[in-house]
Amino acid sequence: MNSFKGRIIINPEDKNTTLSQHSFRDIFYELYPRLYSNSLKLVRDEFVAEEIVEDAMLALWERRDKIREIQDIKSYLYIVVRNGALAHLRKHRKESSQDITGIDIEDHDIYETYIIEEELHARLFGALKELPEKCREVFLLSCIYRMPYKEIGKELNISVNTVKSQRSRAIEILRGKLGNSSVILFFLNNIC
């Protein structure tokens, strides 16, 4: 299995290719945030979006012995998530006033937006991996999972002031690593 700039590709000539727990974990942490973001855009429900991505990851894990049949794991997961989201919308369209007929994944403008957002997510999560462990944990819990400072402090067994300082430190480091691009700064400001 090879990884090249986020594209996880299986070598079809390797007859013994299987997905180990370690490889699966790496794929999960690399792709989950982006898959979740795409699912959430379609279903507009955090819980449902999480379930759809978790189902996609479970489907990948269940096919781990037949992994060589999947040429590009990233594309496979995006397709499974998209199909899961659209199936959910079709199933619940009568219960919801939301009209799914306007959803066209192939629409050029939407596709470009997905690509831009995916690149931003990839850069952000790549930079997150380089943060010191406490900064990364605090940033994820505060900015991504939207936990209150007090709950973060309890979970990590640190004071609220330490949570605030670690969060500020993480944002400062990320701004330095991600550069002064107005799009990235806007993105960082909106998630924190």
Side-chain angles (χ1 to χ4, degrees), residues 17-31:
T17 302
T18 59
L19 186 63
S20 69
Q21 266 186 320
H22 180 74
S23 298
F24 177 77
R25 189 190 69 208
D26 290 346
I27 291 167
F28 183 90
Y29 286 118
E30 181 179 341
L31 297 178

Side-chain angles (χ1 to χ4, degrees), residues 6-66:
R7 279 182 60 90
I8 303 158
I9 300 170
I10 302 298
N11 180 357
E13 295 169 9
D14 185 356
K15 302 294 181 202
N16 296 318
T17 302
T18 59
L19 186 63
S20 69
Q21 266 186 320
H22 180 74
S23 298
F24 177 77
R25 189 190 69 208
D26 290 346
I27 291 167
F28 183 90
Y29 286 118
E30 181 179 341
L31 297 178
Y32 185 92
R34 291 182 268 172
L35 293 169
Y36 171 76
S37 175
N38 284 325
S39 179
L40 185 59
K41 284 180 191 129
L42 292 171
V43 297
R44 294 183 178 97
D45 181 307
E46 291 178 5
F47 179 75
V48 172
E50 285 178 13
E51 278 190 335
I52 289 168
V53 176
E54 288 167 4
D55 287 347
M57 290 293 186
L58 181 60
L60 177 65
W61 180 250
E62 288 173 345
R63 292 192 69 190
R64 69 187 174 276
D65 294 333
K66 301 174 186 172

